[in-house]
Amino acid sequence: MNRASFLAVATAAVLTSGCSDDGANCRWENIPEPSAVEGEKQPVEIQPSQTLPGLTKAELDAVVPVPDGFPPINEQVLVGLRRDTLEMAGAVGEVGAGRCDGDVAGSVGSTTRCTVTYEGVEVRWLVEITGIGTPIGRGYEYSVRPLSSVHTAQDVYDSFAWETGKDGQQSGPQPTRAPRCERLPDVFAAEPGQDTGYSCQDIKWFCENGDHDFRWSDRPIEINDDGNVTFGPL
């Protein structure tokens, strides 16, 4: 249940009790600072931020420069995949040269699997030819899809900082309070479209008849189909 819908349910429960004063005390603007929070607090404190996570173009170019001219299609694809892998990890690190199982060039709809390593972790990609122009690398159009993914603890922490701070000082129901995360491995592999098994958390509040309760609520760290870090609902 999202924040707004939870607030609506909690408020409705209070209003039906006939205690209008207590109902007013349960409004989000009257939430007191938590004095006691139920549950287990995770170890890594996150400072909400309005800074977009990830690498800058200059950082990408320094690790994997884009070649001049129009190199063969396999080289173009591998350069792109190395940059995509680096962006996925969200932190500067060692990126391998990469390899493909065969020649990427082919008819429309043909696919090739390629692999790139980041700090020793293999990331598998599926490359599909979507269009053909002239018979040189420049003429091929293609799409890529991650079959596995790699992530860094710092990028997850930065992403949760952005997730909890991107709207600035919140003015809606149940403002974010004290976000935290598990202590994650520096670098870890995951699967697109899956839960990583790790989580971050925030404080969730409950109010009934003017009495507030607070508890730590975990938000699963998930990877979407594009290989990006996302967070489950509070």
Side-chain angles (χ1 to χ4, degrees):
M1 184 180 296
N2 61 33
R3 297 177 179 180
S5 59
F6 173 81
L7 179 65
V9 172
T11 304
V14 171
L15 291 177
T16 56
S17 72
C19 301
S20 58
D21 290 342
D22 289 339
N25 289 335
C26 280
R27 292 173 182 163
W28 72 267
E29 63 265 26
N30 294 325
I31 304 172
E33 286 298 318
S35 57
V37 183
E38 298 179 18
E40 184 176 351
K41 181 171 69 173
Q42 294 180 345
V44 180
E45 181 179 359
I46 303 297
Q47 182 64 45
S49 172
Q50 291 184 277
T51 301
L52 195 66
L55 299 175
T56 65
K57 183 179 182 300
E59 289 173 320
L60 285 171
D61 289 343
V63 179
V64 185
V66 177
D68 295 328
F70 303 102
I73 182 64
N74 272 42
E75 183 179 343
Q76 289 185 47
V77 167
L78 285 173
V79 168
L81 292 180
R82 294 176 68 210
R83 291 172 69 91
D84 289 343
T85 300
L86 190 59
E87 282 192 282
M88 177 188 287
V92 172
E94 183 178 350
V95 182
R99 65 183 186 279
C100 293
D101 292 347
D103 192 352
V104 173
S107 58
V108 172
S110 63
T111 60
T112 307
R113 292 182 180 236
C114 300
T115 303
V116 176
T117 60
Y118 174 87
E119 292 292 328
V121 176
E122 289 193 345
V123 180
R124 295 172 287 111
W125 296 86
L126 186 69
V127 182
E128 179 178 357
I129 296 296
T130 58
I132 301 176
T134 56
I136 59 174
R138 181 183 182 184
Y140 287 94
E141 297 175 357
Y142 62 90
S143 63
V144 300
R145 177 168 62 88
L147 302 177
S148 62
S149 62
V150 65
H151 307 278
T152 59
Q154 190 59 58
D155 185 56
V156 174
Y157 300 153
D158 290 346
S159 295
F160 198 53
W162 163 255
E163 175 73 13
T164 56
K166 61 187 176 184
D167 296 325
Q169 183 64 40
Q170 295 190 10
S171 58
Q174 199 171 340
T176 296
R177 296 173 184 268
R180 307 183 74 87
C181 289
E182 288 187 58
R183 194 170 303 283
L184 303 172
D186 290 342
V187 179
F188 62 96
E191 296 294 325
Q194 300 294 320
D195 187 327
T196 64
Y198 301 114
S199 66
C200 293
Q201 64 179 189
D202 201 354
I203 296 176
K204 190 172 185 177
W205 66 273
F206 300 82
C207 182
E208 185 174 1
N209 297 327
D211 293 326
H212 290 81
D213 293 312
F214 301 90
R215 68 188 62 171
W216 289 108
S217 180
D218 292 349
R219 298 183 61 179
I221 300 170
E222 302 168 341
I223 308 302
N224 66 18
D225 291 339
D226 295 323
N228 299 317
V229 172
T230 62
F231 302 93
L234 182 65

